[in-house]
Amino acid sequence: MNKLNWNSTQYLYDKINNFYKELKPLISDTYPHVIPVEYYIYKTDWIVIPYKNELKNVSKDGFTVYKDGKYNIFMRDSNDRTHQRSRFTMAHEIGHIILDHHKILGGNLLTLNPKVKNYVEFQANTFAENILMPIPHILKINDKSVDNLSKEFNVSKKMAEVRMMHIQRDYNIMHQLGYLK
């Protein structure tokens, strides 16, 4: 496990950078900006369990349970949401796993005190944004309109919009840490 403090900025961006390096060889030439989060989950021993309305009081989109050394990712049934929204939820849940939230904070993130829960959600959202729309890929695209970015990265328009609001923050941090030249 990384020796950095789990709630440090460097820990978060180290994990993002290392995971991106792991995913980079899996990116297809046909869709060079679509990061294959679905395939990554498929090649792990994680189990994805769809649910309908019966668990929406627990989480409207998805959550992960860590038990007996295994991860089970519960995802709201894809018939109830767009594929792009599901991709964000997958990347967000992968973020919790890669950032070791379940191991560091205990198996059930849903019962954390609000301050800690808000921070782990911020980290997982930042992870998902940076994995689904990596800065090096965004910089290669001329048309940075929300509509075009949504299509290029196969993410929702809302995700593309939020990503562009946070890109300068992430660029500055990643540049400072030496991940961007």
Side-chain angles (χ1 to χ4, degrees):
M1 189 155 326
N2 195 320
K3 300 234 184 292
L4 288 171
N5 186 347
W6 74 271
N7 61 358
S8 73
T9 299
Q10 185 170 353
Y11 177 86
L12 172 61
Y13 287 89
D14 282 354
K15 291 286 192 168
I16 290 167
N17 188 59
N18 291 337
F19 188 74
Y20 173 72
K21 284 185 203 173
E22 189 178 341
L23 278 181
K24 198 171 179 183
L26 303 176
I27 298 170
S28 111
D29 293 336
T30 309
Y31 303 102
H33 302 302
V34 177
I35 308 302
V37 292
E38 301 91 340
Y39 180 71
Y40 185 84
I41 290 174
Y42 170 76
K43 74 181 198 88
T44 66
D45 63 348
W46 305 338
I47 298 169
V48 176
I49 302 166
Y51 68 90
K52 289 198 180 281
N53 290 332
E54 68 272 9
L55 295 176
K56 86 174 174 191
N57 291 338
V58 177
S59 173
K60 68 178 181 135
D61 292 315
F63 60 96
T64 299
V65 173
Y66 178 67
K67 187 175 179 183
D68 301 326
K70 299 271 185 198
Y71 291 101
N72 293 315
I73 301 172
F74 291 80
M75 296 274 302
R76 182 99 180 256
D77 190 306
S78 60
N79 293 331
D80 296 340
R81 1 179 294 126
T82 67
H83 176 70
Q84 290 83 5
R85 180 67 192 171
S86 294
R87 282 176 42 76
F88 180 83
T89 301
M90 284 182 229
H92 176 97
E93 294 307 320
I94 291 170
H96 284 305
I97 295 168
I98 299 299
L99 294 166
D100 295 316
H101 288 159
H102 298 86
K103 292 177 182 176
I104 294 168
L105 299 168
N108 189 351
L109 301 181
L110 299 170
T111 60
L112 294 173
N113 80 56
K115 187 175 179 180
V116 174
K117 185 172 180 2
N118 286 341
Y119 191 70
V120 299
E121 293 303 315
F122 163 79
Q123 283 189 322
N125 285 338
T126 301
F127 182 93
E129 290 174 22
N130 278 277
I131 292 305
L132 291 174
M133 295 181 69
I135 290 172
H137 292 253
I138 294 171
L139 295 175
K140 292 177 184 174
I141 295 174
N142 291 327
D143 179 359
K144 291 182 179 51
S145 68
V146 168
D147 284 344
N148 187 58
L149 291 172
S150 172
K151 290 174 191 155
E152 288 283 343
F153 292 95
N154 195 18
V155 297
S156 69
K157 289 179 184 177
K158 181 67 176 171
M159 161 63 194
E161 181 183 324
V162 170
R163 178 68 178 125
M164 295 312 288
M165 288 190 305
H166 298 153
I167 194 164
Q168 193 63 54
R169 171 201 68 196
D170 294 336
Y171 179 88
N172 292 342
I173 292 168
M174 294 181 95
H175 183 71
Q176 180 182 9
L177 292 172
Y179 298 138
L180 300 173
K181 310 278 184 266

